[in-house]
Amino acid sequence: MKKDFRFKTLLATFASAAAALLISATPMKAQPVVKNIVLVHGAFADGSGWKDVYEELVKDGYSVSVVGNPNTGLEEDVAATKRVLDRQNGPVILVGHSYGGIVISEAGNDPSVAGLVYIDAFVPESNESAVELLKKLPEARNSGVLPPDKDGYVWYDKAKFHSGFCNELSDDKAGFMANSQVPVNGSVFTATISNPAWKVKPSWYVVGTEDQTIPADGQRFMAKRAGAITTEVVASHVSYITKAKHVVKVIESASKDAYKVTVQK
């Protein structure tokens, strides 16, 4: 009788161990995410600044596209972004830096966009121009944004580019960015958006605490007003370059959470 009991106990123990081994050997099912990421640059920069973010996301299995918005006017920049959105297969996380935040606030109304990520970016309210928004934000005392030139384009003062725009970069890199900057048409500062996409879609915000172009307190104000999930990094106005891994982490978090929202719909 005792032998029979011991045999059954041993058999049960073996079965439990085998089941545990089988479970541990079974690969965990990956959490579904929004796989398409579209990146939009801001004023005084171009798509190449997204290189490190792009490479990290691609390495992690995402499909990533970079918009070459011309900075010739809000309507044209939104149109350029929508052309890239039209090429995506499935839902999208739309990411914007600086002025790109205004662009994605409008382009994000596209049905394919599941979530918005703002990086050191402007987040306008309904019918609020950038000029009106700037009046509500702390003064950027070291900003090198110049008045429009004779053709109506706004440049960033090369003498202030390093300290005001990208102070963590080397002199050589900052110099290259200053001399390859893409100016923005001054009309974007008076353009307005009727229905910003963040009103109806989830949003995330990365604050660069050392930003001297859009001061951190101004970024916090806009992020809070938009109800964005906010992450802070010790960085200048180009946190997407100097803190690329942190930015990628936020984008990937957005891709997971936005997927849940998309499925629930």
Side-chain angles (χ1 to χ4, degrees):
M1 192 74 167
K2 287 184 179 180
K3 288 183 179 180
D4 185 51
F5 176 76
R6 288 174 182 171
F7 176 74
K8 289 181 179 179
T9 302
L10 183 63
L11 188 62
T13 301
F14 176 78
S16 297
L21 184 63
L22 181 61
I23 291 172
S24 65
T26 302
M28 295 292 289
K29 188 176 181 180
Q31 181 179 347
V33 299
V34 174
K35 299 298 290 185
N36 300 302
I37 312 295
V38 173
L39 308 171
V40 182
H41 67 77
F44 321 120
D46 60 29
S48 65
W50 290 111
K51 184 174 183 292
D52 289 346
V53 169
Y54 170 90
E55 290 178 347
E56 286 288 327
L57 288 168
V58 169
K59 184 178 70 176
D60 290 344
Y62 289 86
S63 174
V64 187
S65 300
V66 181
V67 178
N69 42 306
N71 285 359
T72 51
L74 181 58
E75 186 177 348
E76 291 92 338
D77 296 333
V78 169
T81 302
K82 286 188 173 183
R83 282 193 289 272
V84 175
L85 291 175
D86 288 344
R87 295 172 61 84
Q88 308 306 306
N89 181 21
V92 177
I93 296 297
L94 187 57
V95 186
H97 170 251
S98 191
Y99 158 62
I102 300 177
V103 177
I104 71 169
S105 293
E106 175 63 39
N109 287 304
D110 188 283
S112 67
V113 176
L116 306 160
V117 179
Y118 294 89
I119 315 294
D120 311 312
F122 288 110
V123 188
E125 250 289 4
S126 301
N127 303 310
E128 178 183 60
S129 70
V131 169
E132 294 170 329
L133 178 55
L134 285 167
K135 292 177 182 178
K136 300 173 185 176
L137 304 182
E139 182 183 357
R141 295 180 180 176
N142 195 38
S143 171
V145 177
L146 297 169
D149 65 14
K150 63 181 178 62
D151 296 318
Y153 280 83
V154 176
W155 298 78
Y156 204 99
D157 187 349
K158 288 195 287 186
K160 288 188 174 182
F161 202 95
H162 196 184
S163 63
F165 198 80
C166 54
N167 59 37
E168 311 108 299
L169 296 182
S170 67
D171 289 344
D172 287 345
K173 288 183 178 179
F176 176 78
M177 285 190 71
N179 288 298
S180 62
Q181 64 178 287
V182 180
V184 64
N185 192 283
S187 65
V188 305
F189 293 103
T190 55
T192 60
I193 297 170
S194 299
N195 299 298
W198 58 261
K199 294 272 190 180
V200 294
K201 298 184 180 183
S203 61
W204 289 257
Y205 199 112
V206 176
V207 173
T209 62
E210 311 306 306
D211 195 329
Q212 296 188 54
T213 294
I214 305 178
D217 282 344
Q219 295 183 37
R220 294 180 185 114
F221 163 76
M222 291 184 286
K224 182 178 181 180
R225 189 174 67 171
I229 297 171
T230 304
T231 299
E232 298 200 1
V233 296
V234 180
S236 68
H237 191 56
V238 293
S239 62
Y240 71 113
I241 296 175
T242 63
K243 293 293 189 295
K245 288 184 182 296
H246 292 79
V247 169
V248 166
K249 187 175 180 180
V250 172
I251 294 172
E252 293 188 352
S253 177
S255 78
K256 296 181 179 72
D257 291 344
Y259 181 87
K260 296 173 187 174
V261 174
T262 302
V263 169
Q264 288 172 359
K265 286 181 181 179

